[in-house]
Amino acid sequence: RLALPAGLSSDTEATLGRAKLAMDVLNEGTTQLSALELAAELERLGASISSGAGLDQATVSMSTLSTTLEPSLELFSQVIQRPAFSSEEIERRRKLQLAAIDQEKSRPFDTALRLLGPLVFGEHKYGIPLTGTGKKKTVESLGLDALVAFHKTYFRPKDATLVVVGNTTTQALQPLLESTLGSWKNDSPEPKQPTQQPKKITKPKVYLVDKPNAEQTLIVAGNLLPPRDEQDEVDVEIMNTVIGGSFMSRINMNLREDKHWSYGSRSFVFETFGPQMFGVYGRVQADKTKESAAEILKELNQYLGSAPVTSDELSRVTENKIRKLPGRNETAGRLLGSIAKIVNFGLPDDYFSTYVDRVANANAQSVMKAAAKSIRPDEMVWVIVGDLKTIQKPIEDLNLGEVQVVSD
């Protein structure tokens, strides 16, 4: 996997959706091979190449047989250095991306994701539709020049990180990499990095999106969370798992198992290289929207105050995390993901070797310290998607915060 700092957050307001479109088209042919010819060669070699963009990174990944590694690397090199960006493939992928935007606007959770980025992160580079598809007007304007500019700006070997997992050695691999990627050059200036910081939210706000006659309401709420390097990741993991990160978590057991208002409700940490986001969500009965939001808020406040993590919860969560670790790296793909995590976040090489001890040594005091830093009910942005004629008045009566109706 080749990773570059060219994720979705590299898009500006004028180019929203460019990173996704460029990375979707990247592996659809090279200057030497058409999309069909490339696909046929990969099939012959028993290999596959994929490309895509996350919030912080663009990645090009290849899976191949050890016996066909050398010719597969040649194709991998072509995709990275000499993508075709053919007009036919750009137009095909553009249509798919525009259709995806329409689909997102019809799906409540995607609708919430599109809104949460700008509402929580504001002018920061993460303040974009978090689905990555961008906006229709910008995607419609993207052409060959925009994609070529993206590639020239961000595909710089000095910024690239390569992670390899397989039945090979450094001695065997290095000559192959030098013969295929060693001549890769790009002398374009280092791209400017945005410097804006998220604007601090000082009071909760509520944004309602109308889905006429919807039988369910989606409730999502999020607040800013300090970057990874300012917190103990294990404590954050445990903190989140207890309140909403698993089936047995407090929020899910309340809304699903006790109240029977939801099929499932969870919390999450939106992990990024910079400022992060803590969030909760639940799909609930439309006629129980007000009550469900109140229960979510109650669970968060009690967790921070009168009902901190218990010894039973701490024991259950830590044992689960320890016992799951052996399966984490069973496949080459999972092992690659673990190594990439160490590389991406600058973690110690022995990060997973010491993980069990760090989980086992977690205590209630450190977990609640992480909770106090992570969960900020008084700074939460709520996005609630449902039938306004059913939910608007009850939500206003709940006084979660200032209420505003927005479009998707």
Side-chain angles (χ1 to χ4, degrees), residues 18 85 143-155 188:
R18 182 179 69 164
F85 288 137
L144 174 62
D145 290 346
L147 273 56
V148 169
F150 173 88
H151 185 264
K152 183 177 181 181
T153 300
Y154 295 106
F155 272 64
S188 60

Side-chain angles (χ1 to χ4, degrees), residues 22 67 100 174 205 277 292:
T67 53
Q174 189 163 340
K205 294 185 178 181
M277 176 170 61
S292 297

Side-chain angles (χ1 to χ4, degrees), residues 29 75 77 176 237 242 292 303 385:
L75 299 179
S77 173
L176 299 180
E237 282 185 12
V242 169
S292 297
Y303 191 39
V385 185

